């Protein structure tokens, strides 16, 4: 017979969070991040999918060693294919096991994102959102620890995409920390297939959002305090290249026809 939970004890949701972590040479950053995810897994149904994108520093070995209490999976690329393909591989792996009520989360593997937000993300999805963005640009959000050029890039991209592309509820277009309703991603993946993410670089997160808008999602944002001070090693983003990718993405989005049927 099922017994009622003790008063004050955390109640596990029936939904599972599948956390996709694209990783390229993150052997130093992964152990503290995976430890924090294991802490979250004490109260949440959680599977972590680390996508090793051709790392040369032992990232795969860190994952293979496992973390007590964490359902940890490894997806491997023999060579580096770029962030976009790493995200796509992680989404595909997670969707192969997710139920329609599950939540798929993408977050950075460099320990700058707080796994403590995962419960809030799931709750927003269960309350009716289809996409939840951890945003630096809402009340309570902050990216003061990030380098000045990276902050300028994020703000410039936010202004550009808000003015030229209408996606209701979005202020932070480039955040790499987001949650998606699994059945929304599944619908989009059935329509676009391997073309769901075509960008190789950091523009892939904006591309996915622009494609998902054709599914008419309900989008919510929650505050993100970016912990760039926890980052180990140099940033992998190249500012000029990423600006070019954003501009090319905008041009391609304007020229591409909308899906001919409702998604």
């Amino acid at each position: 017979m099922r017994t009622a939970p003790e008063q004050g004890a955390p109640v596990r949701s029936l939904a599972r969070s599948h956390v996709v972590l694209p990783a390229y040479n993150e052997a130093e950053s992964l152990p503290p991040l995976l430890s924090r995810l294991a802490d979250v897994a004490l109260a949440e149904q959680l599977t972590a999918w680390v996508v090793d994108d051709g790392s040369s520093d032992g990232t795969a070995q860190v994952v293979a060693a496992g973390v007590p209490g964490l359902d940890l999976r490894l997806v491997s690329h023999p060579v580096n294919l770029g962030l976009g393909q790493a995200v796509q591989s992680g989404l595909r792996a997670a969707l192969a096991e997710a139920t329609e009520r599950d939540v798929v989360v993408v977050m950075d593997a460099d320990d700058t994102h707080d796994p403590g937000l995962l419960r809030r993300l799931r709750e927003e999805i269960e309350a009716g959102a289809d996409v939840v963005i951890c945003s630096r640009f809402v009340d309570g959000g902050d990216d003061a620890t990030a380098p000045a050029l990276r902050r300028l890039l994020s703000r410039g991209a936010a202004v550009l995409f808000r003015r030229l592309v209408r996606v209701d509820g979005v202020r932070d277009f480039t955040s790499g920390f987001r949650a998606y309703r699994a059945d929304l991603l599944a619908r989009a993946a059935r329509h676009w297939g391997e073309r769901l993410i075509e960008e190789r670089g950091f523009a892939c997160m904006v591309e996915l959002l622009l494609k998902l808008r054709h599914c008419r999602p309900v989008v919510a944002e929650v505050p993100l305090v970016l912990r760039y001070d926890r980052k180990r090693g140099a940033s992998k983003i190249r500012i000029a290249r990423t600006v070019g990718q954003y501009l090319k993405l905008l041009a391609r989005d304007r020229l591409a026809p909308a899906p001919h049927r409702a998604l």
Side-chain angles (χ1 to χ4, degrees), residues 105-185:
V105 179
V106 178
M107 63 187 296
D108 289 354
D110 60 3
D111 201 27
T112 60
H113 293 162
D114 181 12
L117 284 171
L118 290 172
R119 181 174 183 178
R120 173 78 184 276
L121 294 175
R122 176 184 55 74
E123 290 173 344
E124 291 285 342
I125 295 287
E126 291 179 346
D130 298 303
V131 179
V132 188
I133 299 171
C134 294
S135 173
R136 296 155 290 184
F137 308 140
V138 296
D139 289 344
D142 183 68
D143 64 347
T145 58
L149 277 178
R150 185 153 185 175
R151 297 177 69 196
L152 180 62
L153 175 65
S154 300
R155 283 161 173 74
V159 171
L160 181 68
F161 285 105
R162 276 205 308 267
R163 290 185 175 179
L164 298 181
V165 182
R166 182 176 179 81
V167 185
D168 290 339
V170 180
R171 298 185 188 180
D172 194 340
F173 279 82
T174 61
S175 173
F177 193 179
R178 295 189 201 144
Y180 308 91
R181 190 183 296 275
D183 63 346
L184 173 77
L185 281 177

Side-chain angles (χ1 to χ4, degrees), residues 20-71:
V20 174
L21 299 163
Y24 176 62
N25 290 341
E26 297 291 2
E28 288 186 77
S29 299
L30 277 172
L33 174 59
L34 295 178
S35 177
R36 292 186 181 93
L37 284 169
D39 291 341
V40 174
L42 294 173
E44 299 284 316
Q45 303 283 349
L46 190 152
T47 298
W49 302 83
V50 177
V51 184
D52 176 28
D53 190 29
S55 299
S56 58
D57 69 342
T59 290
Q61 287 79 2
V62 170
V63 180
V67 176
L70 179 63
D71 182 9

